[in-house]
Amino acid sequence: MADGTPDEVESLRQQLHDLTAELEETNRGVLALYAELDAQAEALREATELKSRFLAYMSHEFRTPIGSIRSISRLLMDRVDGPLTAEQERQVRFIQDTSAEFDEMVNDLLDLAKVEAGRVTISPAWFELVDLFSALRGMFKPVLTSPDVVLVFEEPDGVAALFNDDRKLAQILRNFISNALKFTARGEVRVAARGNGDGTVTFSVADTGVGIAPEFHHAIFQDFVQVDSPIQKRLRGTGLGLSLSKRLAELLGGSVALQSGLGQGSTFSVTLPARLRAPDAPPPERAEGLA
């Protein structure tokens, strides 16, 4: 092949020079973009840390006055300073219920701060579902005051002992059950567990309550999200319980899900690995229950 003319060689050299200059300019732009992304990521980390610190600080600050209110209301209900009229008892009971709701909100905020700060410790151990369900049943027995709603725990069938964090799982199920009871005026709340045949177990909490419209499903597990409905407006809350449940499930190697329709009840579920990690020893004949 014949060599090109001097003009052609010069033209190619100029094209190469232009391409090199363009590539260098692109590289500088990419480096500048990376620097900007790093700066934004650092700013986001700082903002998240500040938010977590603020939530933790405010949660601790709220605990003292809420504890005082609950203690005083208990003394009044115990008639330490004398008898109460029917109206006084109704008002004190309202104070008790409201302070309990605020205490739950504070706990949600504190848990959120711990999760975001990475201060949540996962402690897997062997446990039996029958012990977990028994502990939850006893926990909710005092709050089942409506004769129109029953809380049912199905007998675990075919699910062997699990190796996961039973306390975190109990917290997830408590959030699901509390939420279900809050929005179920009549019918039942049913708790069940099933093995999936792939090394995972799905826990479900199904209710016959008001249900959730499909357009809210995508956001229901986000922070501070509450469904815009008349019953929701009458019930206070931070909207954090379901978000915390989702984050805890992810820490336990699992995920959460929702099936619901407006007026058709809701089923919240969490699917977790039966073994969070390979244990060094076989499961005991009888695992310890919730402490």
Side-chain angles (χ1 to χ4, degrees), residues 63 66-67 70 98-108:
R63 281 183 178 276
I66 291 176
R70 299 190 71 179
T98 303
S99 60
E101 291 176 3
F102 285 153
D103 190 47
E104 182 180 344
M105 294 180 194
V106 169
N107 289 334
D108 284 347

Side-chain angles (χ1 to χ4, degrees), residues 85-95:
T85 66
E87 177 61 19
Q88 288 173 331
E89 181 175 347
R90 187 187 70 81
Q91 293 176 0
V92 173
R93 195 172 300 279
F94 173 78
I95 294 173

Side-chain angles (χ1 to χ4, degrees), residues 133-241:
F133 282 6
S134 177
L136 288 171
R137 186 184 294 109
M139 196 176 302
F140 280 96
K141 187 176 181 179
V143 303
L144 292 172
T145 56
S146 172
D148 297 325
V149 181
V150 294
L151 176 59
V152 179
F153 287 86
E154 293 187 0
E155 193 72 21
D157 184 20
V159 181
L162 305 183
F163 189 82
N164 212 309
D165 191 323
D166 59 348
R167 297 175 187 272
K168 299 298 186 298
L169 173 57
Q171 185 173 0
I172 294 171
L173 294 179
R174 283 201 307 270
N175 284 333
F176 286 174
I177 295 170
S178 297
N179 208 56
L181 291 174
K182 186 182 295 185
F183 294 101
T184 302
R186 186 180 303 275
E188 69 173 24
V189 174
R190 182 171 293 269
V191 185
R194 72 170 190 275
N196 298 317
D198 59 356
T200 63
V201 178
T202 296
F203 299 84
S204 61
V205 177
D207 65 60
T208 57
V210 296
I212 301 169
E215 58 264 30
F216 294 109
H217 289 194
H218 72 284
I220 198 68
F221 289 104
Q222 296 177 10
D223 293 348
F224 302 103
V225 169
Q226 293 180 320
V227 175
D228 186 14
S229 69
I231 190 171
Q232 177 72 70
K233 292 176 180 178
R234 296 198 304 269
L235 298 170
R236 287 180 292 272
T238 59
L240 287 176

Side-chain angles (χ1 to χ4, degrees), residues 17-116:
H17 179 272
D18 293 343
L19 286 173
T20 301
E22 184 178 350
L23 180 59
E24 291 176 350
E25 181 65 25
T26 300
N27 286 338
R28 285 193 292 270
V30 170
L31 291 175
L33 179 60
Y34 276 133
E36 182 179 352
L37 289 175
D38 286 342
Q40 292 180 354
E42 181 61 28
L44 180 60
R45 281 192 294 269
E46 291 179 358
T48 301
E49 181 180 353
L50 285 174
K51 185 182 77 169
S52 298
R53 289 168 58 188
F54 171 77
L55 291 177
Y57 174 78
M58 293 306 299
S59 299
H60 283 295
E61 288 298 305
F62 285 148
R63 281 183 178 276
T64 299
I66 291 176
S68 299
I69 294 172
R70 299 190 71 179
S71 297
I72 293 172
S73 62
R74 277 197 300 269
L75 291 175
L76 291 173
M77 289 300 294
D78 290 340
R79 277 70 171 178
V80 173
D81 293 326
L84 299 176
T85 66
E87 177 61 19
Q88 288 173 331
E89 181 175 347
R90 187 187 70 81
Q91 293 176 0
V92 173
R93 195 172 300 279
F94 173 78
I95 294 173
Q96 280 188 319
D97 294 341
T98 303
S99 60
E101 291 176 3
F102 285 153
D103 190 47
E104 182 180 344
M105 294 180 194
V106 169
N107 289 334
D108 284 347
L109 287 170
L110 190 57
D111 286 340
L112 175 65
K114 289 180 179 179
V115 170
E116 291 190 341

